Amino acid sequence: MGASSKKVIVTGGGYRPQHSSRLAAAGLTPIWPSNNDEFGFHLRTASGYILGGEERLTADVIAQMPMLEVISFVGVGVGQFVDSKAAQARGIAVMNTPGLMTAAVVEHTLGLLVGIQRGLFQHNDSVKRDGPKPIETRLLADSTIGIVGL
């Protein structure tokens, strides 16, 4: 680690080797703590924190990070995972990844529409209760779909 390199704690899942490479190319030293002791060891010297899972960054943890400059939450709903008020009070930038889940939400919505139209959910419940039996379904091609609120 070079003298000018800033440490960034990275927690959560879904990261690939190129994420570490990108951080290093930006002059940062990524720290991937494997347990609470290792996480605690780096709290006082980390300049950044990237959260990417179900972990929470509370005011108490932020208070233990005197060098913290930036928090990045990988996902949506940053306010559920980061005490943004505590960070703002210290002048710490809080960022998230807007648009990250857009494609997944669209795909999920389309899947639900197909499932509802074809009676998949009702059929699934029926099969679990009574065993397999034929069901009547409608094709999407026989339907008109509108988007409300776009």
Side-chain angles (χ1 to χ4, degrees):
M1 172 169 67
S4 63
S5 183
K6 294 184 176 187
K7 290 198 301 189
V8 177
I9 296 175
V10 184
T11 58
Y15 300 106
R16 295 184 294 277
Q18 72 247 29
H19 294 119
S20 185
S21 298
R22 286 182 183 169
L23 290 169
L28 303 169
T29 301
I31 305 295
W32 309 80
S34 58
N35 56 51
N36 285 338
D37 289 339
E38 190 176 343
F39 177 77
F41 177 78
H42 293 288
L43 281 181
R44 299 201 59 75
T45 57
S47 298
Y49 186 176
I50 301 173
L51 296 84
E54 294 296 317
E55 63 276 22
R56 303 289 195 268
L57 186 54
T58 64
D60 290 339
V61 175
I62 291 171
Q64 296 175 54
M65 302 181 79
M67 297 179 69
L68 190 61
E69 299 172 17
V70 63
I71 300 164
S72 181
F73 177 70
V74 180
V76 295
V78 66
Q80 301 290 321
F81 298 89
V82 175
D83 189 327
S84 297
K85 288 181 182 177
Q88 184 179 23
R90 290 242 330 263
I92 299 167
V94 177
M95 298 179 278
N96 67 345
T97 51
L100 178 69
M101 301 303 293
T102 303
V105 170
V106 169
E107 291 172 1
H108 184 73
T109 301
L110 290 173
L112 289 173
L113 286 171
V114 170
I116 290 168
Q117 183 70 19
R118 298 301 302 259
L120 297 178
F121 307 114
Q122 296 87 347
H123 183 62
N124 183 47
D125 289 341
S126 173
V127 167
K128 287 179 181 176
R129 251 189 337 272
D130 307 320
K133 61 183 176 183
I135 61 166
E136 188 176 319
T137 66
R138 296 183 324 181
L139 297 174
L140 282 179
D142 299 334
S143 303
T144 301
I145 298 175
I147 300 174
V148 178
L150 183 62

